[in-house]
Amino acid sequence: MNFLLLFLLLLINSNGVCCSPPAPPVKCDTAGCTVSNAYGIFPDRSTCRAAAAVFPSSEEELLAAVAAGSRNKQKMRVVTRWSHSIPKLVCPGGEEGLIISTQELKRVVSVDEEFMRMSVESGAALGDIISAAAEYKLAFPQTPYWKGLTIGGILCKGAHGSSVFGKGSAVHEYVVGMRLVVPLRGGNASVVTLNSSHADLDAAKLSLGLLGVISQVHLKPSKLCESRNIFKL
């Protein structure tokens, strides 16, 4: 009874609580750029620096950014909108690297209700993806604790989801295709398309960002009524 009362009090009080997203993780000036994470500090308390940062808003711009980094022989790292990661995976090392942000790659590209398919850009937030799916009576069983996580960040870390039922609720279980931008020799870059029959798709789903920059992700959600059945288990 005491527990129930405490829960109700917390629920009532939470209605008056306001929150805001973390500060942007990438900051640049004439001296270069620094990148942090949502917590504002890395475990070793060091400052992560880079020569420059780019914010592509389309696959074409992302392709050009990766090609430029390859041409300039720069180490490249990808950072998400909020950089919601504790380890220093976004640090290119040294001060001459290139940071590629997916902050502007946030669109839901398409939704096919009949074939239960969605295509989203890698910087699309999970909350926006779930909302877009719901408009077409589709749903995902994934429930990471913060809807601001991006699909690209979730996949690169493979840190979210469990095996509650069926295939489980890990986000990568519902990926049926991807588009990656990869550097090539000679200062070029290319788009690699992976579908469900491609042998490298499983590796790309949990690549830690080592196989290229994720441009788009193709997902297969469930029908909304099927997802609701999990509460009857």
Side-chain angles (χ1 to χ4, degrees), residues 9-60:
L9 288 173
L10 289 173
L11 186 63
I12 292 171
N13 291 334
S14 66
N15 291 331
V17 175
C18 295
C19 60
S20 59
V26 180
K27 297 178 181 178
C28 297
D29 54 29
T30 55
C33 299
T34 61
V35 58
S36 184
N37 56 21
Y39 311 97
I41 193 168
F42 291 113
D44 63 358
R45 301 181 182 275
S46 64
T47 300
C48 180
R49 301 185 183 278
V54 291
F55 300 81
S57 59
S58 66
E59 188 174 77
E60 291 74 19

Side-chain angles (χ1 to χ4, degrees), residues 2 13 29 41 53 61 64 69 71 90 94 107 111 126 137 141-143 148 155 161 165-166 169 171 184 199:
N2 291 336
N13 291 334
D29 54 29
I41 193 168
E61 292 180 6
R71 192 162 49 250
V90 297
R107 295 183 305 130
V111 182
L126 186 62
K137 299 180 181 179
Q142 305 92 341
T143 54
L155 293 179
F165 76 102
S169 63
V171 179
L184 300 176

Side-chain angles (χ1 to χ4, degrees), residues 61-187:
E61 292 180 6
L62 177 59
L63 191 66
V66 174
S70 176
R71 192 162 49 250
N72 295 328
K73 294 180 170 49
Q74 290 176 291
K75 293 181 179 180
M76 293 175 271
R77 291 292 186 273
V78 180
V79 61
T80 59
R81 192 184 312 179
W82 308 122
S83 188
H84 204 257
S85 177
I86 296 175
K88 293 170 55 179
L89 298 178
V90 297
C91 290
E95 299 187 8
E96 303 302 320
L98 176 65
I99 296 294
I100 300 175
S101 172
T102 60
Q103 175 180 310
E104 302 301 326
L105 291 170
K106 55 186 179 182
R107 295 183 305 130
V108 175
V109 178
S110 63
V111 182
D112 188 324
E113 181 180 358
E114 180 181 359
F115 292 98
M116 296 189 295
R117 292 288 192 278
M118 291 184 71
S119 294
V120 300
E121 292 180 326
S122 63
L126 186 62
D128 295 334
I129 296 172
I130 291 173
S131 296
E135 293 180 9
Y136 293 86
K137 299 180 181 179
L138 300 173
F140 293 92
Q142 305 92 341
T143 54
Y145 68 95
W146 187 43
K147 66 179 182 180
L149 298 170
T150 65
I151 186 68
I154 290 171
L155 293 179
C156 282
K157 289 183 64 180
H160 302 280
S162 62
S163 302
V164 177
F165 76 102
K167 291 190 296 184
S169 63
V171 179
H172 66 266
E173 298 273 17
Y174 300 87
V175 173
V176 293
M178 298 174 71
R179 289 173 66 85
L180 302 171
V181 175
V182 300
L184 300 176
R185 292 181 178 177

